[in-house]
Structures are given as C-alpha cells and as structure tokens.
Amino acid sequence: MKKEQTENTDFKLKIKMVGKESLTIDESDLVRGCWDSISQLETRNPQTLEEFGEYDLFDDLLQNYFTWKLVFTESGLDITNEMADIEEFITKYLKKFYLLMQMDELNRLPPAFQIID
C-alpha cells in the first residue's frame, strides 16, 4: 500500500447504544492495541491453526486496525506510515494463516491421498 504522511490527527469516537453505556474509542487505544497484538504474535509465533485461535490475537489486530482505518477513510485522510507498517504485519500473518489452513485441509484427505513427510 502507498505510504503517505497525514497530519497528526487524534480522534475520539463515541458510540451511543440504547439501554447501555456509551462506548468511547480513542485512536491511541486502537494503535496501541495493534502493536500489542503484533508484539504478542511475534513472541508466540503461532505454528498451527489452533495456536492462531488460542488467544484471538490476530482477530484483535484485524478489528483494531480496520476500525482505525475506517475512521481515517471516512474522514478522507490518507494512510499513515504507521498504518502501512501494521499492514505489512497483517499481510505476513495472513499468508501464514492461509498456508496453515491449506495444510490442515491436505491433512484431512483420505489416507491414500495424504502427503507424508
């Protein structure tokens, strides 16, 4: 994705829900959540689908990032260098996740068709 520098824009998003307390989302929380998830993914280095799903780190990363990007897109702002860096990690882990899904599917083939190391 093309990296462009956007002015420093901090936002705070407040969502009002009927019958419940309002939810406030702060940009710094989303960014910190992205980097926390990336740090934990790098530390744990998941090698199986079960490990990917065990802590929901990848889900949290995607939710935080795309919420952050949605606000920027809806506001007409360009992607920041930090967003591009996070996208690189997302791409890295998506590739790994899809490779693991393919291997899992291959391992479910009938014995005559399975790949044996």
Side-chain angles (χ1 to χ4, degrees), residues 74-89:
E74 291 298 314
S75 301
L77 300 171
D78 296 323
I79 185 171
T80 65
N81 290 335
E82 188 171 27
M83 285 176 155
D85 293 342
I86 291 171
E87 280 184 13
E88 288 177 20
F89 280 102

Side-chain angles (χ1 to χ4, degrees), residues 16-65:
K16 294 182 180 183
M17 296 178 280
V18 177
K20 295 190 178 190
E21 191 173 323
S22 296
L23 174 65
T24 302
I25 299 172
D26 193 331
E27 179 182 14
S28 62
D29 292 337
L30 293 174
V31 175
R32 185 175 48 255
C34 287
W35 287 116
D36 287 349
S37 295
I38 288 169
S39 173
Q40 290 182 36
L41 279 167
E42 290 285 299
T43 301
R44 296 175 198 266
N45 192 20
Q47 299 297 315
T48 64
L49 289 177
E50 292 78 20
E51 289 176 5
F52 258 100
E54 189 174 340
Y55 299 105
D56 294 328
L57 296 172
F58 196 56
D59 291 342
D60 292 346
L61 171 59
L62 293 174
Q63 288 173 7
N64 286 328
Y65 176 75

Side-chain angles (χ1 to χ4, degrees), residues 102-115:
Q102 290 173 341
M103 293 305 296
D104 188 57
E105 288 176 13
L106 289 174
N107 289 334
R108 292 184 195 184
L109 291 172
F113 298 102
Q114 286 185 0
I115 298 173

